[in-house]
Amino acid sequence: MVSVTTVVLAALAVVASAAPACKPLAYTLPQAGEGDELAAPAANLVLKKIAIGHGIQNYSCETTASNFSATGALAVLYDATPLYPKTKKTGINQREWDSLPTNLLRNQPLPLNKLAGSTYGADPTKPFPDPADLDLQGLPRSKFLGHHFFDNKGVPVFDLGTAGLKAVVKKVDGIAAPRSADAGITGSGAVQWLQLDDNLSGQSRGIKMVYRVITAGGAAQACSVAGVGVQSVPYATFYWFYG
Ligand SMILES: *[C@@H]1O[C@H](CO)[C@@H](O)[C@H](O)[C@H]1NC(C)=O
Ligand SMILES: *[C@@H]1O[C@H](CO)[C@@H](O)[C@H](O)[C@H]1NC(C)=O
Ligand SMILES: *[C@@H]1O[C@H](CO)[C@@H](O)[C@H](O)[C@H]1NC(C)=O
């Protein structure tokens, strides 16, 4: 017969091994590795979420001879934090992690309500379908986290409604995506990596800095190629949120 003491000791041993014996996981913002890098997050900030986003970048061309101008973006955000490599039980390997944006871009339909008659355009009256989790083949599901859009003043917003977080931001810095980045479905290139800070309008909740890294697709096509009017270019990326 097993004594009560043995059972208790065994139970304690299980608890001890389940307790965080090692240091908390260190989240390291990716670097582009080709020269200029984005500044590191301020030392007093902590990582709140890593999202994987999928949507469109919008541009407009006045004439076929002009330069395009960026007019906004729409994306659905999923919580990728539990998939971060070395996360206990749910972490995926580094290679799978680094290729998440390209996997998402190329293996999932755009999670936007389509604008009739367009290839990648979104319905302006109701761009987002009902919230749904992300189910990429062979990987754990990622929970729906919220939306990225531009408000009626043209200001970029990240509404991480399910986490009670929100970021209303301004662009602080941008660097070219690495040469090896996924040029996207249209082949127009990967959008820049960005540092975005709270725009100090008092509308952000729990977020002070946002980084866009490991971008896939989303760059504009030259106006001469795209023609006149709005282009919507599919992209996927990581967004790292600090607060
Ligand atoms: C496009 O932008 C570049 C760099 O800012 C500028 O030199 C060029 O004149 C612009 N071209 C047109 C057609 O506006
Ligand atoms: C982006 O373009 C789509 C059309 O593809 C439109 O529905 C949406 O309102 C635009 N959004 C922004 C922020 O420019
Ligand atoms: C910040 O965003 C708010 C909301 O759109 C806007 O009213 C304000 O002008 C923005 N401020 C800056 C500095 O971008």
Side-chain angles (χ1 to χ4, degrees), residues 59-70 220-224 231:
Y59 303 94
S60 142
C61 289
E62 299 285 318
T63 68
T64 53
S66 63
N67 285 328
F68 57 80
S69 52
Q221 225 143 23
C223 291
S224 55
Q231 345 165 15

Side-chain angles (χ1 to χ4, degrees), residues 160-177:
L160 282 54
T162 64
L165 299 169
K166 186 174 179 183
V168 178
V169 298
K170 59 172 191 295
K171 179 178 161 182
V172 172
D173 195 12
I175 58 169

Side-chain angles (χ1 to χ4, degrees), residues 94-114:
Q94 190 69 44
R95 189 184 45 78
E96 287 173 326
W97 173 264
D98 291 338
S99 61
L100 263 185
T102 211
N103 184 350
L104 181 55
L105 181 68
R106 292 180 179 275
N107 298 320
Q108 292 284 314
L110 268 178
L112 299 173
N113 292 326
K114 200 176 154 113

Side-chain angles (χ1 to χ4, degrees), residues 53-229:
H54 189 195
I56 52 175
Q57 294 282 329
N58 285 349
Y59 303 94
S60 142
C61 289
E62 299 285 318
T63 68
T64 53
S66 63
N67 285 328
F68 57 80
S69 52
T71 55
L74 290 171
V76 175
L77 306 173
Y78 308 94
D79 189 359
T81 325
L83 305 189
Y84 188 72
K86 300 199 170 70
T87 304
K88 207 164 179 177
K89 294 207 173 80
T90 53
I92 60 179
N93 70 46
Q94 190 69 44
R95 189 184 45 78
E96 287 173 326
W97 173 264
D98 291 338
S99 61
L100 263 185
T102 211
N103 184 350
L104 181 55
L105 181 68
R106 292 180 179 275
N107 298 320
Q108 292 284 314
L110 268 178
L112 299 173
N113 292 326
K114 200 176 154 113
L115 175 66
S118 73
T119 314
Y120 301 117
D123 179 353
T125 56
K126 188 183 184 297
F128 297 117
D130 291 342
D133 295 345
L134 172 64
D135 205 356
L136 278 170
Q137 207 176 11
L139 297 178
R141 287 169 82 88
S142 296
K143 289 217 158 305
F144 171 82
L145 191 56
H147 294 136
H148 170 43
F149 57 92
F150 281 56
D151 70 11
N152 54 14
K153 292 192 174 122
V155 174
V157 177
F158 298 86
D159 186 354
L160 282 54
T162 64
L165 299 169
K166 186 174 179 183
V168 178
V169 298
K170 59 172 191 295
K171 179 178 161 182
V172 172
D173 195 12
I175 58 169
R179 273 182 295 273
S180 60
D182 185 341
I185 291 170
T186 63
S188 52
V191 273
Q192 281 194 323
W193 294 22
L194 297 180
Q195 179 194 338
L196 307 158
D197 285 6
D198 176 20
N199 95 346
L200 303 179
S201 61
Q203 295 178 34
S204 297
R205 278 198 309 275
I207 303 288
K208 293 227 159 35
M209 292 175 88
V210 183
Y211 290 87
R212 182 174 82 186
V213 293
I214 316 195
T215 53
Q221 225 143 23
C223 291
S224 55
V225 177
V228 175

